Amino acid sequence: MKDRRLTPFEDDSDAQLVERLQQDRAADTRPFDLLVRRHQAFVLGNCRYLTRSAADAEDLAQEVFVKAYFGLKQFEGRAQFRGWLQRIKVNHCLNFLRKRRGLVMVDVEDETLADDPRLAQPAVAETRLSQQEQHDHISDVLDAMSDTLRIPLLLRDADGLAYEEIAERLGLRLSAVKMRIKRGREEFRRLMADADRREEERVGSV
């Protein structure tokens, strides 16, 4: 039988853990430690994919949780904790990229294509990202993509942000965001197919 003294809040939901912390954050940080354990892999993985830097991802993930800890008083519970944490992560990683590389997303797409039904492509990256066994394979493919395509694609398919929110965060027009995500999905498929073909050729030659 599980010793409840060793895991006092294990069965609490995220909302219950947050409520405990909001009542008296300084008295007991164990609820937050549990929140970190629950969501650490999610935050760390997304920081890695967005920044293309495993070395920076760990520091960024830690900074995201620090911001979340000190921002708990402002968390009103209208959204799930995971979604709120996700917004902090996205903002923090995008700010990091802007400072590091002077990230600029220039809108040069054709607005007349914004409502083209062919833009309604399935969320390929989200499906791929859910398969842990292909983690390294997917990392290599995403690393091969330009920021212009990779970042909007991840914000949409991995983070689930609406097109309008992505446009606002990246300073782009809605038509450009839709086009970049469409092109990003196509590029992701092409690179995955190329990588799969090379792997099959390698295995076949052994």
Side-chain angles (χ1 to χ4, degrees):
M1 181 178 296
K2 184 186 292 185
D3 189 338
R4 305 303 301 166
R5 293 173 299 175
L6 297 180
T7 54
F9 312 118
E10 195 73 37
D11 293 332
D12 283 6
S13 66
D14 285 356
Q16 290 170 320
L17 293 173
V18 169
E19 185 177 358
R20 290 180 184 277
L21 289 162
Q22 288 177 327
Q23 289 172 354
D24 194 351
R25 187 181 63 197
D28 191 347
T29 61
R30 288 178 297 174
F32 191 76
D33 292 339
L34 183 53
L35 286 170
V36 172
R37 291 201 301 273
R38 286 180 182 177
H39 300 285
Q40 188 170 32
F42 156 72
V43 172
L44 180 61
N46 281 12
C47 287
R48 165 67 181 88
Y49 284 123
L50 279 171
T51 64
R52 291 196 290 200
S53 172
D56 292 316
E58 291 191 9
D59 288 340
L60 288 169
Q62 183 176 359
E63 291 162 5
V64 166
F65 282 112
V66 169
K67 285 189 173 185
Y69 181 74
F70 287 105
L72 280 172
K73 287 186 177 181
Q74 285 72 50
F75 179 62
E76 298 177 353
R78 289 196 292 264
Q80 292 185 346
F81 175 78
R82 182 184 175 96
W84 179 72
L85 184 65
Q86 181 185 65
R87 296 298 191 271
I88 296 175
K89 180 217 66 181
V90 167
N91 284 336
H92 193 61
C93 288
L94 289 180
N95 287 336
F96 168 80
L97 287 172
R98 291 187 180 103
K99 290 177 182 178
R100 188 178 70 177
R101 295 199 292 264
L103 178 65
V104 177
M105 307 291 273
V106 181
D107 182 1
V108 294
E109 312 297 352
D110 185 354
E111 288 188 43
T112 63
L113 298 177
D115 297 319
D116 191 317
R118 290 172 295 180
L119 294 182
Q121 299 289 332
V124 175
E126 183 177 22
T127 301
R128 294 286 192 177
L129 289 173
S130 68
Q131 302 173 7
Q132 185 62 37
E133 66 274 13
Q134 296 193 49
H135 179 275
D136 293 339
H137 191 39
I138 292 168
S139 293
D140 291 341
V141 169
L142 289 170
D143 286 350
M145 297 176 66
S146 67
D147 285 349
T148 299
L149 299 181
R150 179 177 52 83
I151 291 174
L153 176 66
L154 286 170
L155 294 181
R156 176 60 182 172
D157 287 354
D159 285 306
L161 271 61
Y163 288 105
E164 293 80 6
E165 187 172 1
I166 297 171
E168 180 181 353
R169 290 173 184 271
L170 298 181
L172 292 170
R173 284 180 286 188
L174 184 60
S175 59
V177 167
K178 290 181 177 180
M179 180 58 67
R180 289 173 191 269
I181 291 171
K182 172 183 179 291
R183 289 171 53 194
R185 287 170 178 164
E186 292 171 347
E187 179 76 354
F188 184 86
R189 288 192 191 92
R190 184 185 66 79
L191 291 171
M192 282 296 293
D194 290 346
D196 289 342
R197 185 176 61 255
R198 289 194 300 270
E199 179 64 15
E200 290 174 1
E201 292 173 351
R202 185 189 69 79
V203 173
S205 64
V206 174

